[in-house]
Amino acid sequence: MRALLFAGQGSQRQGMGAEVLDAFPEHCALADDILGLSIRELCLHGGDRLRLTRYAQPALFTVHALTYLAGREEQGEPDVVAGHSLGEFNALMVAGVLDFAGGLRLVAERGRLMGEADGGAMAAVLGAGLTEVERTLAASGRTDVEVANDNSATQVVISGTAAGVSAVTALLTAGDPAIRCVPLPVSAAFHSREMAPAALRFAAVLAETPLAPPRLPVISNVTARPYPPGEPVAALLGRQIRSRVRWTETMRHLLDSGVDEVTEIGRGRTLTGFWREAAATRRTPAAPGRATPAPAPVVPAPVAPAVPAPVVPVASTAPVAPAVPAGSGLGSARFREVYRSRYAYVAGSMFQGIASTDLVVRMAGAGLFGFFGTGGLPLSGIRAALDDIGRRLPPGAPYGMNLLHDMTDSAGERATVDLFLRYGVRYVEAAAFTRVTAPLVLYRAKGAHRDPGGRPVAVNQVLAKVSRPEVARQFLAPPPPELLDRLRAEGALTAEEAAAAAALPVASDLCVESDSGGHTDGGVALALLPTFVRLRDRAAAAAEGEPVRVGAAGGIGTPEAAAACFLLGADFVLTGSVNQCSPQAGTSDAAKDLLAGLDVQDVTYAPAGDLFELGSRVQVVRRGTLFPARANQLYELYRRHARLEDIDARTLATLERGCFGRPLAEVWDRTARHYRDTGRPEIVHEAERDPKRRMALVFKWYFAESSRAALAGAKENSANFQVHCGPAMGAFNRLVEGTALESWRRRDVDAIADLLMTGAAEVLAAAH
C-alpha cells in the first residue's frame, strides 16, 4: 500500500513551483482571481511575503496541488492520503472532498484568520517524546501551554503564552541535557486553545462550503484516523486549527494499515523522515521515555556551537605593501580603517576557490583586502584554505571568507559558521541570502558587547551582497529577536552577546550587487545604489550602533565605472570578474586565456546548475564555448518533458555526443554513485521513483562537469567550459589593451586594484 503525504507551512521557499506553475496556466489564472494577486509572482519572487501566514498558506496549497496533478498520471492514485496541518487540505483535494478552487478559497481564509491571530509563542522540543513532554507539563502546573504537534518519537512542538512556553522549555532543558528547545518564529500559539476564536470563525466558513465525502481514506490531524464515512468532513476540519496535530499516531496508523511506501509532496522530505523513524521504532522498540534520534526536525535544529579558537599563523611570504598612492582618499575612511585597507576596495569571492588563498594572501600583503571563495567547497576544503592562509599571513592580518547561503542546507551553513568562529575569522562576505538566518546571526553576534560608554560593538564584520530592497532591509535592521532568543536558549550566545547584538544591524557593510558574473538579478547600479543609500540613511536614524556602510559591485572593470560608483554615494567598491583573469585566481590557464580575449558583449545568461529546477540563471562567458546554448537546451527539454524517455531519440543522441560525451545511462550511474559515496543515498532512491527528478540530476551532471572542465583546463572539453563572468571583464580587457597588463600573467590582483582606484581618483579630479 502507498500513502501520499503533504507537507505543511514551513516548507515554503521563494522560487517554489517553478517546475509546475507554467504547466497549469488555467489553474494559475483561477488562483490569481481568487487571491487577487499573481500566484506565480508570489511563489517565485514573494520574498518576505512568503514568511507571512496569509500568503504562505495559499502559495503552498497551490504548489502542492499542481505538483500532485503533474505527477498523477505517472504515479497513479494512492491508497491513502494525509497532510500535516495545512497539508490536510491538499489531501482532501486528492480524495475529492473539494476541488482546487474550493480548497484554495478555504486555505486563503484559513491563512487570513491564523495570520490575524496575535500573542502567544511556540517552541520545538527536540530529543524528547510526547510522554516526557506531557509529564513535564503536568509537573510544571502550567495550564497555559499544551502540545501543538506530536511529530515523532523525538520531536514535539508546544504552544501557549510566551511566559508559559519559556517556563516549560527551561524545565525540559534543565531536566535532560540531551533535550533542546528551539523557539519558533510565529506570531501566535497555533494548534492550541488560543486559536479557538479563529477556529470558530473558520467553522462558519466551512459550513457554507460544499464538501463531498472522501473517495479515498484521508487521515485527520485531529483523530489520527480516517474521516468517518457518513459523517460531515467539516465537523473535524473545523477543529483542526486549535487541535493537536497527531502525526506520530498518524504514522503508526498507516503502518498498522499495511502501508509500506510513502510519497511526500513538499520541500525537505521531513515527513518521510518521520515515517522512517516511526517504522524503525516499530521494528526496534526504544527504551521507556526515549526513542531513537529523529532523522530531520520539522524546524531547523541548530548545531551545538564550537568554542572560538583563533589560529596562530607563522611568518608571511606575501609581498610588502607599496607606498600609498592616489585613490586612497576615495570612499569611506571608516571602511578603510575597519578592513585595514589602503583603498575603500575589496576583491570579492568567487566560487570553488577561484578567489583563492593566493589571491587573499597577495591582497593582504599589498595592504588590501580580499575574500576567499568558499562556494561549492566541502567543509574540509574550507578548513584547508584557512590553514593555508594562517600559515602564510602574520597574526592579525586582515582577510575574509565567503558564506554562501544554501536554502537546502542550513546544517552546512551552521557548520561553516562554527568553523569560522573556531578559526577567529573576523570578516565574512554573506552572499545569496534571501533572508537572515540563524547561523549568520550567530556569526554577527558572537563576541558582541557594549563598550565602556555603553555603545554596542560587534567583533565580527558582515559584508552582505544584496540586490533587492526587501533583503537589504533585513540586513540593515537588528537580528530578529526570535533568532537571538533561539541562539541564547541553545547556549550559542551569552545574554550579553544577544543583548548587544539586538542593538546592532545584521550587516556592518551592504554591497549593492548589480550586473555581475554568476548568480545575478541583472540589476542596474544607477538605480540600485542611490536607493540602498537612502534605505541605509533611514535605518541609521533609528540605529544605536555604527551606521552601515554601502558599497557597489558588478560591472566595475574600468576607472570610470569605479568613479561613477563613488559619485553615486558608494562607501567602497567590490570587484569580481576582473580578478579571475589574474595569476592568483584559482582557475585554469585555459580559462584565463579565454577571459583575456573577451569584449563587453561576450557574456550572456544561462541556467544555473545549483538551482536548475527553479530556472535560476547565471551570467557566463559565451565566446569560445557552447555551454550557454547547451545549458539552455537542457533546461527547455527539462521544462517540456516529464522524463528522459519522452525525449526523441535523435535529440538524446545529440546530447550524448555533444553535452555529455557518453551514454546517459552512464551519466546516471556516475551521478548515483556520487550521491551514494557522499552519504546521500536518499537522493538516488527519490530519483529512481521520480523520473522528472532523475532527469534533473542527469542534466545537472553536465553543469558540474562543465565547471570542472573549466577549472581544470580540460582543453579536450573546452567547448563545454562554464565560466561565470560579467561584462566588466571585457571592459577591463579594452582598458589594458596595448599595455603591460594586456597579458593576464602580469595582472596581479593588487595591480588591478591600483589601476582602477588611482584611475578613479584621476577621473574625479578631472571632473572637478
Side-chain angles (χ1 to χ4, degrees):
M1 289 181 62
R2 183 173 72 94
L4 181 61
L5 309 179
F6 287 91
Q9 190 173 346
S11 61
Q12 71 269 19
R13 72 190 190 285
Q14 182 166 284
M16 64 181 181
E19 67 278 18
V20 294
L21 290 169
D22 290 342
F24 294 91
E26 294 181 2
H27 288 75
C28 289
L30 188 58
D32 291 353
D33 290 340
I34 291 170
L35 301 176
L37 51 79
S38 168
I39 190 65
R40 192 177 191 281
E41 181 67 18
L42 176 61
C43 293
L44 301 185
H45 310 292
D48 286 346
R49 288 194 298 173
L50 288 173
R51 302 175 67 182
L52 302 177
T53 297
R54 64 176 299 183
Y55 294 111
Q57 292 197 9
L60 275 170
F61 175 86
T62 300
V63 169
H64 290 172
L66 299 186
T67 302
Y68 160 72
L69 293 174
R72 178 173 55 182
E73 183 174 341
E74 179 69 26
Q75 296 179 352
E77 189 167 77
D79 299 294
V80 59
V81 283
H84 192 285
S85 190
L86 169 68
E88 189 168 335
F89 288 79
N90 287 109
L92 292 167
M93 188 199 82
V94 171
V97 173
L98 39 79
D99 60 12
F100 173 79
L104 184 57
R105 289 189 181 95
L106 281 179
V107 166
E109 184 63 10
R110 182 182 190 266
R112 185 185 69 81
L113 292 171
M114 294 179 72
E116 287 177 354
D118 194 21
M122 299 179 74
V125 182
L126 309 178
L130 179 64
T131 301
E132 189 167 1
V133 172
E134 289 186 328
R135 186 185 301 125
T136 303
L137 283 172
S140 72
R142 307 279 321 197
T143 59
D144 55 349
V145 181
E146 61 191 286
V147 172
N149 296 6
D150 175 19
N151 286 331
S152 77
T154 56
Q155 186 185 133
V156 175
V157 176
I158 58 175
S159 183
T161 65
V165 169
S166 178
V168 172
T169 56
L171 287 173
L172 285 162
T173 53
D176 188 339
I179 296 175
R180 288 185 295 136
C181 296
V182 182
L184 303 184
V186 296
S187 60
F190 299 147
H191 292 292
S192 77
R193 62 178 66 89
E194 299 296 323
M195 297 301 295
L200 284 172
R201 293 166 66 189
F202 188 60
V205 175
L206 285 169
E208 301 297 320
T209 304
L211 300 174
R215 57 180 177 80
L216 293 173
V218 181
I219 311 301
S220 165
N221 285 183
V222 176
T223 64
R225 293 293 183 273
Y227 279 83
E231 293 189 19
V233 170
L236 279 179
L237 194 57
R239 293 162 51 193
Q240 194 226 45
I241 293 177
R242 55 96 50 232
S243 299
R244 177 186 304 180
V245 176
R246 300 179 180 274
W247 198 253
T248 300
E249 294 172 65
T250 296
M251 296 298 96
R252 290 172 183 162
H253 177 78
L254 293 179
L255 287 164
D256 292 339
S257 301
V259 171
D260 56 5
E261 178 187 358
V262 299
T263 301
E264 179 180 353
I265 292 181
R267 175 173 172 253
R269 299 296 181 261
T270 299
L271 302 185
T272 304
F274 292 155
W275 159 261
R276 290 172 179 160
E277 183 184 358
T281 304
R282 190 184 189 202
R283 289 192 299 266
T284 308
R290 180 72 62 206
T292 54
V298 78
V299 293
V303 180
V307 178
V311 166
V312 182
V314 297
S316 170
T317 58
V320 177
V324 177
S328 60
L330 298 179
S332 165
R334 179 59 178 158
F335 180 91
R336 298 194 299 272
E337 177 185 357
V338 170
Y339 286 82
R340 287 177 282 171
S341 174
R342 54 192 173 89
Y343 294 138
Y345 175 103
V346 172
S349 70
M350 291 171 283
F351 84 126
Q352 292 190 340
I354 293 177
S356 64
T357 57
D358 287 345
L359 184 151
V360 166
V361 169
R362 177 83 187 195
M363 290 290 284
L368 298 168
F369 192 92
F371 286 102
F372 176 81
T374 64
L377 296 180
L379 201 64
S380 59
I382 301 173
R383 186 183 298 109
L386 286 166
D387 288 337
D388 186 41
I389 293 169
R391 283 190 296 268
R392 297 167 62 188
L393 286 181
Y399 71 93
M401 302 292 287
N402 170 249
L403 182 65
L404 185 66
H405 176 59
D406 182 348
M407 65 179 68
T408 67
D409 190 12
S410 60
E413 185 175 308
R414 176 61 181 268
T416 303
V417 165
D418 287 342
L419 184 66
F420 290 167
L421 294 176
R422 285 199 300 273
Y423 275 74
V425 173
R426 293 291 171 252
Y427 305 87
V428 154
E429 179 198 70
F433 284 80
T434 57
R435 60 181 178 83
V436 170
T437 64
L440 185 64
V441 170
L442 170 61
Y443 176 80
R444 175 63 165 163
K446 198 65 183 173
H449 60 280
R450 289 189 179 269
D451 64 18
R455 184 176 179 174
V457 176
V459 171
N460 297 328
Q461 308 298 310
V462 172
L463 187 153
K465 294 168 73 173
V466 295
S467 57
R468 294 174 177 269
E470 68 269 21
V471 180
R473 290 189 182 96
Q474 294 183 55
F475 281 101
L476 290 167
E482 61 270 16
L483 293 186
L484 288 172
D485 291 343
R486 182 196 309 174
L487 292 165
R488 181 182 172 189
E490 71 177 74
L493 294 176
T494 66
E496 179 188 14
E497 289 169 335
L504 292 165
V506 174
S508 55
D509 304 270
L510 204 65
C511 187
V512 180
E513 191 172 26
S514 51
D515 195 23
S516 60
H519 284 282
T520 175
D521 286 333
V524 179
L526 292 172
L528 290 176
L529 186 53
T531 300
F532 283 41
V533 168
R534 289 188 176 91
L535 286 176
R536 184 273 312 274
D537 292 342
R538 294 190 192 105
E544 187 177 355
E546 186 175 352
V548 175
R549 296 168 291 271
V550 177
I556 302 174
T558 62
E560 293 83 356
C565 292
F566 288 117
L567 273 174
L568 288 170
D571 292 315
F572 63 93
V573 293
L574 182 148
T575 56
S577 294
V578 294
N579 298 320
Q580 66 178 325
C581 196
S582 69
Q584 291 77 36
T587 191
S588 66
D589 288 359
K592 294 173 188 177
D593 289 339
L594 183 63
L595 288 163
L598 298 186
D599 211 327
V600 291
Q601 75 275 15
D602 292 330
V603 294
T604 189
Y605 288 91
D610 55 343
L611 298 173
F612 177 79
E613 297 95 323
L614 302 181
S616 181
R617 298 173 74 76
V618 291
Q619 191 162 205
V620 297
V621 172
R622 71 174 173 184
R623 181 181 179 185
T625 173
L626 296 175
F627 169 78
R630 288 173 171 173
N632 280 303
Q633 180 191 21
L634 289 177
Y635 181 71
E636 284 304 308
L637 290 170
Y638 173 79
R639 192 175 64 83
R640 294 201 309 265
H641 298 287
R643 56 182 184 169
L644 286 169
E645 292 76 6
D646 293 340
I647 302 173
D648 65 272
R650 182 177 178 181
T651 299
L652 286 174
T654 302
L655 295 180
E656 291 178 338
R657 185 172 59 252
C659 289
F660 298 98
R662 52 184 49 82
L664 292 184
E666 181 182 336
V667 174
W668 170 242
D669 288 341
R670 292 186 178 204
T671 301
R673 190 182 316 121
H674 165 74
Y675 283 110
R676 291 190 181 103
D677 291 346
T678 54
R680 294 173 287 174
E682 69 279 2
I683 294 177
V684 179
H685 299 327
E686 176 190 347
E688 288 172 342
R689 293 192 300 267
D690 182 351
K692 185 84 168 180
R693 176 66 168 151
R694 181 171 176 267
M695 177 169 57
L697 293 180
V698 167
F699 286 177
K700 288 169 75 169
W701 181 91
Y702 172 72
F703 291 81
E705 190 64 20
S706 61
S707 289
R708 283 193 292 266
L711 287 169
K715 292 186 177 180
E716 73 278 4
N717 201 19
S718 61
N720 291 310
F721 276 11
Q722 179 184 177
V723 181
H724 292 186
C725 186
M729 187 76 261
F732 188 84
N733 288 338
R734 299 290 72 78
L735 170 70
V736 299
E737 192 172 13
T739 73
L741 296 187
E742 183 170 4
S743 168
W744 65 259
R745 289 172 173 81
R746 295 187 178 183
R747 297 182 190 180
D748 294 312
V749 285
D750 54 313
I752 294 171
D754 285 332
L755 177 61
L756 294 179
M757 291 298 288
T758 57
E762 292 168 3
V763 168
L764 293 173
H768 292 295

